[in-house]
Amino acid sequence: MTKQGYWGRKKKKENGNKQETKPPKQTPSTGSKRRRCCGGGCLGFIFLLSALVCGIALFYESKDFHKNLDYVARLHAGDEFVDAVYLKASDIWESVKPYAMLVQEKGIELFHKGRELFYRAKEGMENLLKDKKAEEEEAQKEKLEVEKRLAEERRKAEEKRLAEEKKKEEEKRLAEEKRKEEERKAEEKRKAEEKRLAEEKRKAEEKRLAEEKRKEEERKAEEKRKVEEKRLAEEKRKAEEKRLAEEKRKEEERKAEEKRKAEEKRLAEEKRKAEEKRLAEEKRKEEERKAEEKRKAEEKRLAEEKRRAEEKRLAEEKRKAEEQRLAEEKRKEEERKAEEKRKAEEKRLAEEKRLAEEKKKAEEKRIAEEKRKEEERKAEEKRKEEEKRIAEEKKKAEEKKKTEEKKSDEEKKEEKRKAEEKRLEDENLEAEMKRLEEEFKKHEEERQAEERKKEEKKKEEERKMEQEKKKGEEKRLAEEKKRLEEQQKASEKKRQEKIEEEENVNYEKASYPKKDITNDEDYMISDLLDVGDDYLQQKMLNEAKDHFDHLLSEYPHSPRAMYGKALTLDKLAEQQRSNKLLEESIAMLQRVMDAKDAPDGLVKQAGLMLGEKLTFRGWMSKAANTYESLANKFPSDLSLRNKLGVAYMMMGQNEKARRVFSDILQKDKGDSFARVHLGFIVKVTDNNPREGIPLLRAIMESNNKDIQQGKFYFHLGDAYQRLNQTDKAYEVYERGVKKKLFLSKYQRSLYNCDGVKGQPWWTPEETGYQQYLKILTDNWKLIRDEGLKQIDPKSGSFIPEEENLLDKGQWKQFTLYARGKKNEKNCAKVPRVCELIDRIPPAKSCTRGQVKYSLMKPGVHVWPHCGPTNCRIRAHLGLVIPEGPKIRVADDTRTWKEGQFIIIDDSFEHEVWHTGTKDRLILIVDFWHPDLDEKTRKTLDPI
């Protein structure tokens, strides 16, 4: 390297001829001309390059850089694009990461080496320039002194001028600075506000993006977790299925082996028994003669005992029949007296009704006449107004016609032009559509041709594979056929021997009375099974249980032994009132259903009994599954499908029940059971009395005892009433009374107690609850005020009536007590009212009643209906009673009064109207019927 280099040349050019440069010292060389060094430029370049690489790496590692870059990218390119780029970049980074790490490592290494070389070069340059610098400084010093002197003179003159100008400018500057300072402060304040808002916006955006990113990561993690769980669950399920299949296969093989061994053992046992039987037969004939004499003596003794027992039984039956006859005569006498009393009451009520009807008709006739005259007057006024309106409209139409005639010509031209444009547009569109269709058709033909080629190629490959497979299969079948022929010959011989034995058994089994529920294996122990059945018939339940337990220990797979034990356990459960024994019986019946070799007759018997017991326990879902299994096994037995439909109805799954009964009627239109139940669903669930009536009518036309139920007569009559066919409704109710399903045509409750007084209207004195009624009437304003506070819809207290009794209008209720239990949440809203009710035991403990507010809006009509039970009487306390509301119970119509009670037996038919303009509010309190004693009240189930 030369001592001077580039820097020396540059200095020489600047100083001109003032200084001569020394010739460069030559270094030894091989004769070639040596290129001059750049004086450390290459080292500086390496240093800068290393610094740039490291700076980029450090900048890339910055979180702020990432955050700002992400924000800008999402702002301009959108979230979906940026997410896609991130995913792609992530994949690329994974592939180039090793190289990038190597580059970063090498870059840092080069940076440190470059920095070291740079400082070395700098030190060398300082040494080279040290001498030159001294000479230049001396010349520069002389020049600076001259320039300094001249500059000083110029400076003084300039300072004087500037001082003058400065003075003037200072004043101007101060004013300008003051103005600018104010503007700057305002600008800074504005920028600060904008910066603050921008920062808040940026932070909010960053927070939102971070939240979205977090949610997205959580979502992806959750999806990944779910996929993993699903995969693990699927693998676990497949492994479990494989394990179960393997266990099932092994179990079947074990059972087959056990069955084969048992069969061999049975055949050997039968052969041995046949030999013993032959020997015993000879011995038996010898002993029969002796035993016959002994048997005759025993039969004579047993006949005598049986005769005495029969005489005793007949005497007992005669005594019971006499007691029953006397009780029946007593009951008929009471019914006759009650009937006479009822007829007299009905006659009185009918007379009162007739007088009220005549009075009502006269009043209606007068009102109708006044209404007709009023309508005629209004019609005349309306006619005059109409004539005036028509004349006015005619005048306006004339004016409008003239205006339209002027516009019509211009509109026609415009319409013609638009029609022409539309036609041209349609033609262009049609041509374009035609072109597109041709292109699509061409493309479709090409695609189909390609698919045909692929299909032909695939078929050719499949044909070759099929041929190869067929050859292998033929070879395998030939070997299999040979093996099967050998097995068939051996099994044919065994089968022939077995058939000969079974023919003998089947000949005897054909005359066996229980052959329909007995399989071949059970027939071999039929004598033992019949003994157990005899124990059951004689009600020797403990002996029957021990007997069937012993049989099942020896023959654990005997279906009849299982069924016999199930019957025994059921009778013991009934005798001991034990749910545990009943559940054991249910489990045993299920075993009969699951047995593979159980005869169809036994399966049906066991299934029907199992369905009944499951229903009794309240396990309706299991009962429905049982009936469904039976219905699938015996599709021609529609009675099983009827039981399935009833099970669905008891579960509240009326749509499933509807499908079952509809399927039955498609197979047998005359099935009255299915018709009535389908009619019940249509009338109650669909609220469609018109379509329900033809189906429910089957109870009037059929003698099927299973459908002669009060609820069907109740809903058939109710359907007629809702169609205003009252005569037909009462015809149905009268039929129900004759069948003893209803107490009377008006009193149609279904959950009743015998021997209680039945009358539609009661006085406080007749109830015997005067002291309790007085508590409420003395505080009726308090009850009213607390109830009014809950009418606001925001309180959520009053809810619509849910029993489908409302014809029109709005009818709401607010329940405080139901089924003998206090509604704590609602009572907290009206605490003082509930304190009063707590002082009235016959009301708060009434498990077949309620205590509630009843709110009725104007315009309400409640269909005629009956309460569910005759075990209560219902008291209505009037709270807010405007003009218009009224109630009919049986054939007597009355209304309410504020602060007073009306008392009814709501098991009698009652109907409500509200024709006024204001809300009606009452408190309903149900009391136990006064004829029921405390013991009876405690035994009644809640309603």
Side-chain angles (χ1 to χ4, degrees):
M1 183 183 288
T2 63
K3 187 176 180 181
Q4 192 170 358
Y6 170 76
W7 301 100
R9 289 199 307 275
K10 186 175 181 184
K11 205 71 178 176
K12 179 180 177 181
K13 187 175 180 181
E14 289 174 353
N15 295 330
N17 297 324
K18 289 182 180 180
Q19 182 180 347
E20 292 181 0
T21 60
K22 294 180 181 181
K25 292 181 180 181
Q26 299 293 329
T27 57
S29 67
T30 58
S32 61
K33 189 176 181 179
R34 186 167 180 177
R35 184 176 65 83
R36 291 192 176 196
C37 178
C38 67
C42 58
L43 296 175
F45 176 75
I46 291 170
F47 171 77
L48 292 171
L49 180 62
S50 301
L52 179 64
V53 171
C54 292
I56 290 170
L58 291 170
F59 189 63
Y60 184 76
E61 287 295 322
S62 171
K63 292 184 179 179
D64 290 337
F65 167 73
H66 273 286
K67 193 179 294 181
N68 293 329
L69 179 62
D70 180 78
Y71 172 71
V72 173
R74 289 183 184 275
L75 185 64
H76 293 283
D79 291 344
E80 293 182 0
F81 176 77
V82 173
D83 290 340
V85 169
Y86 281 168
L87 290 173
K88 189 67 177 177
S90 177
D91 295 338
I92 294 170
W93 173 249
E94 290 299 326
S95 61
V96 304
K97 187 176 180 181
Y99 306 106
M101 297 297 289
L102 181 61
V103 167
Q104 187 178 9
E105 183 181 344
K106 292 295 182 182
I108 292 169
E109 185 179 343
L110 285 172
F111 172 74
H112 291 301
K113 286 182 179 180
R115 185 173 63 177
E116 184 180 351
L117 290 171
F118 173 76
Y119 285 119
R120 284 182 187 176
K122 184 179 177 183
E123 185 179 355
M125 289 300 296
E126 286 175 353
N127 292 330
L128 287 170
L129 296 174
K130 193 172 183 181
D131 297 336
K132 184 70 175 177
K133 189 175 181 182
E135 294 175 2
E136 288 176 352
E137 284 176 355
E138 188 174 348
Q140 187 71 18
K141 189 175 181 182
E142 292 175 358
K143 185 179 179 180
L144 286 171
E145 285 177 356
V146 174
E147 288 178 353
K148 186 176 180 182
R149 181 174 54 79
L150 293 171
E152 183 66 25
E153 291 174 355
R154 287 196 299 270
R155 183 183 63 77
K156 288 179 180 179
E158 186 67 23
E159 282 179 355
K160 188 176 180 181
R161 185 183 62 80
L162 289 173
E164 196 66 33
E165 290 178 357
K166 188 175 181 181
K167 185 178 179 181
K168 293 178 181 178
E169 290 292 326
E170 184 65 22
E171 294 174 356
K172 188 177 180 180
R173 184 184 63 77
L174 289 171
E176 185 65 22
E177 282 181 355
K178 187 177 181 181
R179 183 183 63 78
K180 287 183 178 179
E181 181 65 21
E182 291 175 353
E183 290 179 352
R184 184 183 63 77
K185 287 181 179 178
E187 183 67 17
E188 285 178 354
K189 188 175 181 181
R190 182 183 64 77
K191 287 182 178 178
E193 183 64 20
E194 288 179 352
K195 187 176 180 182
R196 184 184 63 79
L197 294 171
E199 184 65 20
E200 288 178 357
K201 188 175 180 182
R202 183 183 65 77
K203 287 180 179 178
E205 185 66 19
E206 286 176 357
K207 188 176 180 182
R208 182 185 67 79
L209 292 171
E211 184 65 20
E212 288 178 355
K213 188 175 180 182
R214 183 185 63 77
K215 287 181 179 177
E216 182 65 19
E217 288 173 352
E218 287 178 355
R219 182 184 65 77
K220 288 180 180 177
E222 183 65 19
E223 287 177 355
K224 189 174 180 182
R225 184 184 63 77
K226 286 181 179 178
V227 168
E228 184 65 19
E229 286 179 354
K230 190 175 180 181
R231 182 184 66 76
L232 292 171
E234 184 66 19
E235 289 177 357
K236 188 177 179 181
R237 183 185 63 77
K238 288 180 179 177
E240 184 67 16
E241 287 179 353
K242 188 175 179 181
R243 184 184 64 77
L244 291 172
E246 184 66 21
E247 288 179 359
K248 187 176 180 182
R249 183 184 63 77
K250 289 180 180 178
E251 181 66 18
E252 288 175 352
E253 288 178 354
R254 184 184 62 76
K255 287 181 179 179
E257 183 65 21
E258 287 178 357
K259 191 172 182 181
R260 184 185 62 76
K261 289 180 179 178
E263 183 67 20
E264 289 176 356
K265 186 178 179 181
R266 185 182 64 79
L267 292 171
E269 184 68 20
E270 286 177 356
K271 190 174 181 181
R272 183 184 61 78
K273 285 181 179 179
E275 183 64 23
E276 288 176 356
K277 188 176 181 181
R278 185 183 62 77
L279 295 172
E281 183 67 21
E282 293 175 357
K283 188 177 180 181
R284 181 183 62 77
K285 288 179 180 178
E286 180 64 27
E287 291 174 352
E288 274 180 355
R289 182 180 58 77
K290 296 177 181 178
E292 184 66 21
E293 295 175 359
K294 188 177 179 180
R295 182 183 62 78
K296 287 180 180 178
E298 183 66 21
E299 283 179 354
K300 188 175 180 181
R301 184 184 63 78
L302 291 172
E304 183 65 21
E305 289 178 358
K306 188 175 180 181
R307 183 183 62 77
R308 290 175 183 173
E310 185 66 21
E311 287 176 354
K312 187 177 180 181
R313 183 183 64 79
L314 290 171
E316 183 66 21
E317 287 179 355
K318 188 175 180 182
R319 183 184 63 77
K320 288 181 179 178
E322 184 65 20
E323 288 177 356
Q324 189 175 359
R325 183 183 64 78
L326 293 171
E328 184 66 20
E329 286 177 357
K330 186 178 180 181
R331 184 184 63 78
K332 286 180 180 179
E333 181 64 21
E334 289 175 353
E335 285 180 353
R336 184 182 62 76
K337 290 179 180 178
E339 184 66 20
E340 288 175 356
K341 187 177 180 182
R342 184 184 63 78
K343 286 179 180 178
E345 183 66 20
E346 285 181 355
K347 187 175 180 181
R348 183 185 65 77
L349 293 171
E351 184 64 23
E352 289 178 357
K353 186 177 179 181
R354 184 182 63 78
L355 294 171
E357 191 69 28
E358 288 176 356
K359 187 177 179 181
K360 184 179 177 182
K361 285 179 180 179
E363 184 65 21
E364 287 176 350
K365 188 175 180 182
R366 182 184 64 77
I367 291 169
E369 184 64 24
E370 290 176 355
K371 189 176 179 182
R372 182 184 62 77
K373 288 179 180 179
E374 182 65 21
E375 287 175 351
E376 287 177 355
R377 183 182 63 76
K378 287 181 179 178
E380 183 64 24
E381 291 176 355
K382 191 175 180 181
R383 183 183 62 77
K384 289 178 180 179
E385 290 175 359
E386 187 68 19
E387 288 175 354
K388 187 177 179 181
R389 185 185 60 78
I390 289 169
E392 188 68 26
E393 287 180 354
K394 190 174 181 182
K395 184 178 178 182
K396 288 180 181 179
E398 287 292 330
E399 292 174 355
K400 189 176 180 182
K401 186 177 180 183
K402 290 176 182 179
T403 308
E404 287 176 351
E405 284 175 354
K406 291 178 181 179
K407 293 181 180 179
S408 60
D409 294 336
E410 295 176 0
E411 289 176 352
K412 285 178 181 177
K413 290 178 182 178
E414 183 67 20
E415 287 175 359
K416 190 174 181 182
R417 185 182 63 76
K418 288 181 179 178
E420 184 65 21
E421 288 177 355
K422 189 176 180 182
R423 183 183 64 77
L424 291 171
E425 189 179 341
D426 291 343
E427 288 177 356
N428 293 335
L429 183 62
E430 188 176 350
E432 183 66 19
M433 289 293 291
K434 191 173 182 181
R435 184 182 66 77
L436 290 171
E437 285 177 1
E438 289 174 356
E439 289 180 0
F440 178 76
K441 188 175 180 182
K442 186 178 179 181
H443 177 72
E444 188 66 21
E445 288 174 354
E446 291 174 356
R447 188 183 63 77
Q448 288 177 357
E450 187 68 25
E451 286 181 354
R452 279 197 298 273
K453 287 180 183 178
K454 289 180 181 178
E455 189 67 26
E456 288 173 1
K457 188 176 180 181
K458 187 179 178 182
K459 285 181 179 177
E460 183 65 23
E461 292 174 355
E462 288 177 353
R463 185 177 61 77
K464 289 179 181 179
M465 290 175 66
E466 188 67 29
Q467 286 177 353
E468 293 175 359
K469 188 177 179 181
K470 190 174 181 181
K471 288 178 182 178
E473 188 68 20
E474 286 175 353
K475 186 177 179 181
R476 187 185 64 78
L477 288 171
E479 294 174 356
E480 185 72 19
K481 186 177 180 182
K482 186 177 179 181
R483 184 178 62 79
L484 287 172
E485 285 176 353
E486 292 174 355
Q487 287 182 356
Q488 191 173 4
K489 288 177 182 178
S491 63
E492 183 66 25
K493 188 176 180 182
K494 289 182 180 179
R495 188 176 66 80
Q496 194 64 33
E497 293 174 355
K498 190 175 180 180
I499 287 171
E500 291 175 358
E501 293 176 0
E502 287 179 350
E503 283 178 353
N504 296 330
V505 172
N506 291 336
Y507 179 76
E508 296 175 2
K509 186 180 177 181
S511 59
Y512 183 53
K514 298 179 182 178
K515 61 184 178 182
D516 292 338
I517 61 170
T518 308
N519 63 12
D520 293 340
E521 293 180 3
D522 279 350
Y523 180 71
M524 304 307 296
I525 56 170
S526 59
D527 292 342
L528 296 173
L529 292 167
D530 290 343
V531 169
D533 292 344
D534 291 341
Y535 282 138
L536 279 173
Q537 287 181 357
Q538 297 170 17
K539 298 183 180 180
M540 300 167 65
L541 301 181
N542 292 324
E543 290 82 352
K545 183 176 181 298
D546 293 341
H547 183 75
F548 284 119
D549 284 339
H550 178 69
L551 277 177
L552 286 171
S553 66
E554 291 187 10
Y555 307 97
H557 303 295
S558 168
R560 258 193 72 185
M562 296 178 197
Y563 183 65
K565 184 176 180 181
L567 289 174
T568 306
L569 290 169
D570 177 56
K571 292 184 181 297
L572 284 169
E574 186 177 351
Q575 187 182 79
Q576 300 175 19
R577 297 184 176 274
S578 169
N579 282 337
K580 183 179 178 181
L581 290 173
L582 178 59
E583 287 168 11
E584 289 178 12
S585 174
I586 289 171
M588 193 59 66
L589 289 168
Q590 188 63 56
R591 283 184 61 188
V592 177
M593 293 281 291
D594 296 338
K596 293 181 179 179
D597 54 350
D600 287 350
L602 186 63
V603 169
K604 185 182 284 189
Q605 284 186 21
L608 290 170
M609 182 178 173
L610 177 59
E612 290 175 2
K613 301 309 169 187
L614 290 170
T615 302
F616 177 77
R617 285 292 286 131
W619 298 341
M620 296 310 306
S621 179
K622 292 181 180 180
N625 291 337
T626 300
Y627 288 131
E628 185 175 8
S629 174
L630 287 173
N632 292 333
K633 188 173 181 66
F634 306 102
S636 60
D637 191 343
L638 297 183
S639 65
L640 297 174
R641 300 195 67 79
N642 277 323
K643 289 184 179 294
L644 175 60
V646 172
Y648 282 142
M649 288 177 70
M650 293 178 73
M651 291 167 65
Q653 298 180 4
N654 285 348
E655 288 306 316
K656 287 187 177 180
R658 186 202 303 271
R659 289 196 291 272
V660 170
F661 292 129
S662 298
D663 291 344
I664 293 170
L665 291 175
Q666 286 181 356
K667 296 176 182 177
D668 182 7
K669 293 183 179 179
D671 192 313
S672 58
F673 189 95
R675 285 179 65 83
V676 169
H677 284 80
L678 181 58
F680 180 83
I681 293 170
V682 170
K683 191 270 178 184
V684 176
T685 304
D686 300 348
N687 195 20
N688 189 344
R690 192 174 298 280
E691 292 185 10
I693 285 172
L695 297 167
L696 286 168
R697 283 285 305 179
I699 56 174
M700 306 284 281
E701 302 158 0
S702 172
N703 293 323
N704 187 341
K705 293 181 180 179
D706 293 334
I707 58 174
Q708 300 300 315
Q709 299 178 28
K711 66 177 181 180
F712 296 133
Y713 281 88
F714 185 97
H715 284 286
L716 176 58
D718 184 63
Y720 277 126
Q721 282 187 312
R722 296 195 181 196
L723 296 177
N724 293 320
Q725 299 180 24
T726 309
D727 294 340
K728 291 185 177 180
Y730 283 110
E731 179 186 343
V732 173
Y733 296 147
E734 291 287 0
R735 179 77 68 89
V737 173
K738 289 179 181 178
K739 290 182 176 290
K740 297 184 179 179
L741 302 173
F742 302 139
L743 298 172
S744 72
K745 70 175 182 178
Y746 284 130
Q747 194 176 15
R748 302 190 296 274
S749 50
L750 300 177
Y751 301 92
N752 300 319
C753 288
D754 295 332
V756 299
K757 181 179 179 180
Q759 64 183 40
W761 294 91
W762 289 68
T763 64
E765 291 73 24
E766 288 174 324
T767 66
Y769 296 137
Q770 302 96 310
Q771 72 275 25
Y772 300 129
L773 297 172
K774 190 174 185 303
I775 292 172
L776 298 174
T777 53
D778 289 347
N779 294 278
W780 76 273
K781 290 184 179 179
L782 180 152
I783 298 168
R784 177 196 63 190
D785 294 342
E786 285 203 338
L788 288 173
K789 290 178 183 177
Q790 302 305 317
I791 292 177
D792 185 356
K794 293 180 181 178
S795 68
S797 300
F798 280 86
I799 60 173
E801 177 273 332
E802 299 174 345
E803 297 180 26
N804 191 26
L805 302 175
L806 192 61
D807 176 20
K808 59 182 180 179
Q810 294 184 44
W811 180 24
K812 297 183 178 181
Q813 61 186 20
F814 175 36
T815 304
L816 307 179
Y817 292 75
R819 298 160 66 91
K821 292 183 179 179
K822 186 176 184 179
N823 188 321
E824 298 292 347
K825 181 181 176 182
N826 287 347
C827 278
K829 297 178 181 180
V830 287
R832 298 173 70 187
V833 175
C834 290
E835 286 176 7
L836 296 174
I837 300 298
D838 285 338
R839 293 160 56 187
I840 305 175
K844 73 173 185 178
S845 67
C846 185
T847 56
R848 293 199 166 188
Q850 299 172 310
V851 178
K852 60 186 178 181
Y853 283 97
S854 175
L855 177 66
M856 189 169 285
K857 298 284 186 179
V860 162
H861 174 230
V862 179
W863 293 113
H865 62 284
C866 296
T869 179
N870 72 340
C871 299
R872 71 188 185 199
I873 55 173
R874 174 161 285 189
H876 291 189
L877 176 60
L879 301 175
V880 179
I881 311 298
E883 291 291 332
K886 56 184 177 180
I887 179 171
R888 174 184 66 82
V889 184
D891 52 6
D892 189 4
T893 303
R894 302 181 189 180
T895 188
W896 297 266
K897 292 182 181 179
E898 291 183 356
Q900 296 183 19
F901 272 107
I902 61 171
I903 306 170
I904 66 171
D905 183 342
D906 73 323
S907 65
F908 284 82
E909 180 183 286
H910 50 290
E911 184 177 9
V912 183
W913 302 264
H914 187 359
T915 57
T917 58
K918 296 181 180 179
D919 294 353
R920 183 224 66 176
L921 180 67
I922 63 172
L923 179 71
I924 297 176
V925 184
D926 288 335
F927 292 85
W928 281 116
H929 195 290
D931 290 349
L932 293 177
D933 56 32
E934 193 64 31
K935 183 179 178 181
T936 305
R937 295 175 185 179
K938 290 180 179 178
T939 62
L940 295 174
D941 295 328
I943 293 179

